[in-house]
Amino acid sequence: FSCANTMLSATKIIKPVGEKTDEFESSISSALMDLELNSDLKAQLRELNISAAKEVDVGGKKAIIIFVPVPQLRAFQKIQTRLVRELEKKFSGKHVVFIAQRRILPKPTRKTKLRSKQKRPRSRTLTAVHDSILEDLVYPAEIVGKRIRIRLDASKLIKVHLDKNQQTNIEHKVDTFAAIYKRLTGKEVTFEFPEAYL
């Protein structure tokens, strides 16, 4: 039985060739497998898999980041609210976020221009990837505005304005989002729920 179970959980996580799944990723994978077998998310989860998972410290608490393949992100987001609720129950209230596994391509220089035939797509630039990570983090809330404050010591603080409709659902998680974003991108961010602009 345990062998079959391991086989099953291995199918929910697909790593690049040569990379091993660690113990934490296996536990996430088996939790997803468990939900696929025993919940009403069965049909949607059957087609989906994850590419990595990480546990990070967020101000004395732990949070879970689950990385998913970019083509599957939309499908994950359709069931994300329910999936997060179920996973947070399983992992004793740790906040869970889903982020697409994107690649950042380096800025082309004279030397690399000769080697690469293709132009670097806009979606692979550092800025575009960091913006997309932010959008994934706060889903299902929408980002309605952004302000960048540059302090006297030249450090930047990004103020992100979120859709007020989702305030009750995600307000308790904004510190987690900020800590995860800082961990992944090195950028400082704060979240606000401004009154709707007229």
Side-chain angles (χ1 to χ4, degrees):
F1 165 75
S2 65
C3 176
N5 209 11
T6 320
M7 283 298 293
L8 278 174
S9 68
T11 58
K12 285 318 275 175
I13 185 158
I14 294 177
K15 306 278 280 181
V17 181
E19 280 191 30
K20 292 255 191 305
T21 307
D22 64 30
E23 205 175 308
F24 179 68
E25 289 174 331
S26 301
S27 68
I28 295 285
S29 185
S30 49
L32 287 170
M33 204 66 219
D34 193 31
L35 285 175
E36 186 180 317
L37 297 172
N38 306 317
S39 76
D40 54 354
L41 296 169
K42 185 174 185 169
Q44 296 97 318
L45 274 174
R46 192 180 300 135
E47 303 302 315
L48 302 174
N49 50 59
I50 63 172
S51 46
K54 251 190 207 162
E55 193 173 35
V56 292
D57 267 322
V58 179
K61 294 200 299 273
K62 295 258 192 246
I64 296 168
I65 310 172
I66 297 175
F67 294 96
V68 302
V70 176
Q72 296 187 8
L73 180 68
R74 289 280 161 265
F76 265 108
Q77 286 183 340
K78 280 182 186 151
I79 55 168
Q80 185 165 324
T81 313
R82 281 156 68 208
L83 194 53
V84 164
R85 199 179 309 132
E86 293 298 329
L87 287 171
E88 286 180 352
K89 269 187 226 159
K90 278 182 181 293
F91 289 94
S92 57
K94 289 174 186 170
H95 290 165
V96 175
V97 297
F98 283 88
I99 294 176
Q101 182 94 53
R102 295 183 177 83
R103 283 187 58 202
I104 298 175
L105 294 179
K107 203 172 180 177
T109 58
R110 261 204 197 118
K111 282 180 188 163
T112 55
K113 264 183 196 159
L114 301 171
R115 256 182 281 147
S116 64
K117 301 277 180 281
Q118 256 180 327
K119 191 173 182 296
R120 177 176 70 150
R122 184 92 194 102
S123 62
R124 298 275 195 289
T125 61
L126 181 91
T127 311
V129 169
H130 284 184
D131 286 349
S132 302
I133 288 174
L134 199 52
E135 282 168 24
D136 295 354
L137 256 183
V138 300
Y139 189 86
E142 275 185 33
I143 295 173
V144 293
K146 256 189 212 168
R147 305 277 180 277
I148 296 179
R149 195 172 143 218
I150 298 176
R151 301 194 187 101
L152 291 173
D153 62 356
S155 63
K156 286 182 183 175
L157 172 69
I158 305 166
K159 287 186 178 180
V160 177
H161 295 175
L162 298 177
D163 181 10
K164 207 160 173 59
N165 299 341
Q166 290 290 339
Q167 184 166 359
T168 46
N169 299 339
I170 65 162
E171 194 170 24
H172 62 290
K173 288 189 176 180
V174 292
D175 293 342
T176 305
F177 295 161
I180 289 174
Y181 193 67
K182 173 98 171 144
R183 178 80 185 262
L184 293 176
T185 66
K187 292 179 179 172
E188 264 187 77
V189 66
T190 61
F191 296 96
E192 296 169 359
F193 296 89
E195 292 301 325
Y197 302 113
L198 294 174

